[in-house]
Amino acid sequence: LAQGFSCPFDPLPNRIMRVSIVIPSFVSAVEVGGFFTDPNHFQKGSFAGTRFISDEIGDAAGNSLTLIGSDDGKSFWSLNGTIVDKASGKISVDFSPKGGPSGLTGAFAGGQITWDDGNHWSQYTSPAFTLQEASSGASDVGGFFTDPNHYKDGSFAGTRMISDECGDTPGTRIVLVGSDDGTAFWMLSGEFVDKSSGKITVDFSPKGGPADLRGVFQNDQIVWEDGNHWSRMAMSNPKFDALI
């Protein structure tokens, strides 16, 4: 893995500068961002074994990868990687924060990531499930959220995955992967201002927003100071059988 892309991330300005000079504009690139399922952990009816992947920091595409996922449907972890060859879809991900290899390579093609260890993750361009508001009351901010300013039923537009864990280690840093149009998936980062009270701040400047948007997570919602609110969701009516 390229130095600087393992958890925790480098400061965003350095990363944006790096990706802006690595990928020439004429490269015909495979877009790896999206929603995936991992059959080694997938549990029908929950977000166990689901992953969001982004190759964009805000609205800037590059060669760094951010992954957020869950193995049990409750805890959501984050990992980092790189695109080794964007034209062919070859990638490398550091799974060491979860006790795995530090540079597991794979190839994204045909809507699937095939890993060198024999596993494969399947991509879905639209949800094979419906959503309902969660009522878990969990204090952990990690989860699957919807943003009503962008959400479109039947697509991944307005959906977000959030993690405060680098691999299996909880912390105060927050990572977000989401999509506003259901096609392009971006990452943003933030931190807890006060974890006990759920106060957070997120840097939305890579998407043209404020660099320090504050919010409060409680009762399965993030209420932002700009008046928006994101709701944590639970999966219902899964229809993965014919696809996974």
Side-chain angles (χ1 to χ4, degrees), residues 130-212:
T130 57
L131 295 170
Q132 61 184 23
E133 289 195 12
S135 57
S136 66
S139 59
D140 181 4
V141 72
F144 190 103
F145 290 77
T146 55
D147 173 354
N149 288 352
H150 296 280
Y151 181 67
K152 294 181 181 178
D153 188 33
S155 83
F156 287 112
T159 62
R160 289 89 171 88
M161 271 192 188
I162 302 177
S163 171
D164 62 355
E165 300 182 13
C166 175
D168 295 328
T169 305
T172 58
R173 188 174 182 280
I174 299 170
V175 181
L176 302 80
V177 172
S179 179
D180 293 343
D181 60 6
T183 302
F185 286 73
W186 44 255
M187 72 80 62
L188 296 172
S189 64
E191 63 183 357
F192 278 99
V193 178
D194 181 355
K195 198 163 188 176
S196 63
S197 63
K199 294 180 180 179
I200 64 174
T201 179
V202 174
D203 182 2
F204 281 87
S205 64
K207 289 188 58 61
D212 184 23

Side-chain angles (χ1 to χ4, degrees), residues 23-67:
I23 302 299
S25 60
F26 57 81
V27 171
S28 177
V30 173
E31 298 297 333
V32 71
F35 175 89
F36 293 78
T37 56
D38 173 356
N40 287 354
H41 297 280
F42 181 76
Q43 297 176 23
K44 185 177 178 180
S46 84
F47 286 109
T50 63
R51 288 85 172 90
F52 262 13
I53 302 179
S54 171
D55 59 0
E56 300 183 10
I57 302 173
D59 295 328
N63 67 342
S64 64
L65 294 176
T66 305
L67 295 75

Side-chain angles (χ1 to χ4, degrees), residues 115-129:
W115 299 101
D116 285 354
D117 64 0
N119 193 11
H120 65 275
W121 294 1
S122 298
Q123 184 184 38
Y124 298 89
T125 56
S126 61
F129 51 86

